Amino acid sequence: MKLRLTILRAVGLSILISMAAPASAAAPNSEAQITILYDAFGTDPSMSKDWGFSALVEVGGKRILFDTGNDSDIFATNVKAKGIDLKTLDFVILSHRHSDHMAGLNYVLSVNSAVKVYAPKEGFGIYGSSLPSSFYRKDDSLPPEMRYYGGTPPQTMKFGAAWRGTNFELIDTTTEIAPGVTLIALVSDVPGTRELKELSLAVNTSEGLVLVVGCSHPGIEKIVKAAVAINPRINLIAGGFHLVVAPDEVIAKTVTALKDTFKVENVAPGHCTGEPTFSALKKAFGDRYLYAGLGTTLPLGAKNSSDTRRGEGPALQQDDLATYSRLARREDPFGILQARSLRPKASQL
């Protein structure tokens, strides 16, 4: 009897101790937030600015690395400066194939080689791909030495990835990859980046949809339109809006669409959004414009409008535009050619 009472007292004491323990101890990393790890503007002296984008998204119980910046060494420096543990990532998302969004993957894999990496599916993509061998025409009259695979190709032809052995999962259509976590898959039809596939991250929260965009090559309005099909309430859009060289009339149209048509509640623009667009968005959204410079942590939820400074940085000069033009010989990733075509032509006297 005494032994039973002793056991009961011990059990009761353990229950009281567990009830008294702080709730936060059971759920470390429970805060929902976005930390900007790579961009060309910001105020954190411990981090290196560079053209490109990366963000750590901690929301819905997931730790998601969205893009990895333009340079592996700079990305590593910035990750270490913020004390980010890449070993505990749930997965990585590469929004598209441009180097300023994926070059840091080398460092990620050196730390966490087994992490799953979501990327756009392309026919001959840098992330690896496959095609049925029926895609090419055949000529049975040729001798075997003149025929692909000696005339007996495999049923499926597999093409290698730039990062051999990486745990890639390639996304071709909009897909929910975890409860409430969706990758929006769209294709650019804009001259200069036509047929470029891009993924955007949409996370459903109690405050509405959190949308993280890499470079918005398909068009930020097109991406938001796809997002509202998931949840018509867009709580926040963060990332690059691809308006870095857009003329004022295009910027005004986009800002109006985000604010008035789609009723976006908060914006946290960065990367290729562009300085004039920072200014226009700040004017339109007021205290619902969130500063998202390098090193900034954006809390997600009802109190996510605590810092409303505008992103500042050096204006694009002619030298910059010339450099970007050289980089874009085959593509026009910054929309330079498109912007020029959209500018009103001076009337002839």
Side-chain angles (χ1 to χ4, degrees), residues 140-161:
D140 295 338
S141 69
L142 291 173
E145 64 269 21
M146 294 181 66
R147 301 195 64 196
Y148 302 129
Y149 302 96
T152 56
Q155 186 174 358
T156 301
M157 297 168 58
K158 296 183 179 180
F159 308 102

Side-chain angles (χ1 to χ4, degrees), residues 176-194:
E176 187 178 49
I177 58 175
V181 180
T182 300
L183 293 181
I184 297 173
L186 294 173
V187 183
S188 172
D189 59 4
V190 177
T193 57
R194 200 180 301 279

Side-chain angles (χ1 to χ4, degrees), residues 39-42 49 51 239-248 251 255 269-283 289 291 309-317 320 324:
D39 214 321
F41 70 101
K49 302 181 191 69
W51 190 270
F241 294 10
H242 202 252
L243 296 165
V244 68
V245 295
D248 289 345
I251 293 172
V255 171
H271 184 43
C272 59
T273 301
E275 294 177 13
T277 313
F278 288 159
S279 182
L281 286 167
K282 179 68 174 70
K283 183 177 181 180
Y289 176 101
Y291 177 80
R309 293 173 295 161
R310 181 175 68 85
E312 299 290 352
L316 285 171
Q317 304 296 324
D320 298 321
Y324 296 156

Side-chain angles (χ1 to χ4, degrees), residues 9-315:
R9 286 170 182 163
V11 170
L13 182 60
S14 67
I15 291 173
L16 287 173
I17 292 172
S18 65
M19 290 174 65
S24 59
N29 303 322
S30 60
E31 291 186 8
Q33 58 189 19
I34 298 174
T35 303
I36 308 301
L37 298 176
Y38 212 104
D39 214 321
F41 70 101
T43 60
D44 191 328
S46 68
M47 303 179 79
S48 297
K49 302 181 191 69
D50 187 35
W51 190 270
F53 186 70
S54 177
L56 178 66
V57 182
E58 297 172 281
V59 64
K62 299 292 184 185
R63 299 185 77 249
I64 305 164
L65 181 63
F66 187 91
D67 283 341
T68 63
N70 180 62
D71 180 279
S72 190
D73 292 338
I74 293 176
F75 177 72
T77 296
N78 291 347
V79 167
K80 292 172 184 176
K82 297 301 290 185
I84 304 297
D85 184 4
L86 298 179
K87 294 178 181 177
T88 61
L89 294 175
D90 287 285
F91 45 83
V92 177
I93 298 167
L94 297 179
S95 62
H96 64 293
R97 65 176 182 251
H98 287 160
S99 61
D100 58 332
H101 291 257
M102 66 180 187
L105 183 60
N106 290 330
Y107 177 68
V108 177
L109 295 175
S110 74
V111 175
N112 189 349
S113 61
V115 69
K116 175 171 281 190
V117 181
Y118 290 98
K121 183 177 182 180
E122 298 179 323
F124 289 90
I126 194 172
Y127 312 116
S129 57
S130 63
L131 284 175
S133 58
S134 58
F135 88 91
Y136 70 87
R137 294 180 61 196
K138 298 170 179 63
D139 188 341
D140 295 338
S141 69
L142 291 173
E145 64 269 21
M146 294 181 66
R147 301 195 64 196
Y148 302 129
Y149 302 96
T152 56
Q155 186 174 358
T156 301
M157 297 168 58
K158 296 183 179 180
F159 308 102
W163 297 271
R164 186 177 180 182
T166 299
N167 183 17
F168 279 114
E169 182 165 335
L170 304 183
I171 302 296
D172 198 31
T173 58
T174 295
T175 304
E176 187 178 49
I177 58 175
V181 180
T182 300
L183 293 181
I184 297 173
L186 294 173
V187 183
S188 172
D189 59 4
V190 177
T193 57
R194 200 180 301 279
E195 298 184 357
L196 177 69
K197 296 187 176 182
E198 185 165 339
L199 302 178
S200 302
L201 172 65
V203 183
N204 247 328
T205 75
S206 60
E207 300 293 329
L209 202 70
V210 172
L211 181 62
V212 183
V213 293
C215 225
S216 303
H217 288 288
I220 185 62
E221 292 177 54
K222 188 175 178 181
I223 295 171
V224 175
K225 184 177 180 181
V228 298
I230 301 170
N231 185 340
R233 182 183 178 187
I234 306 295
N235 177 257
L236 172 68
I237 305 175
F241 294 10
H242 202 252
L243 296 165
V244 68
V245 295
D248 289 345
E249 57 269 29
V250 172
I251 293 172
K253 174 181 176 294
T254 303
V255 171
T256 298
L258 296 179
K259 182 175 182 288
D260 298 332
T261 303
F262 295 110
K263 310 293 184 184
V264 174
E265 296 175 8
N266 302 277
V267 292
H271 184 43
C272 59
T273 301
E275 294 177 13
T277 313
F278 288 159
S279 182
L281 286 167
K282 179 68 174 70
K283 183 177 181 180
F285 281 83
D287 62 4
R288 294 184 294 118
Y289 176 101
L290 311 183
Y291 177 80
L294 178 63
T296 303
T297 295
L298 303 168
L300 301 177
K303 297 181 180 180
N304 63 357
S305 59
S306 58
D307 190 340
T308 60
R309 293 173 295 161
R310 181 175 68 85
E312 299 290 352

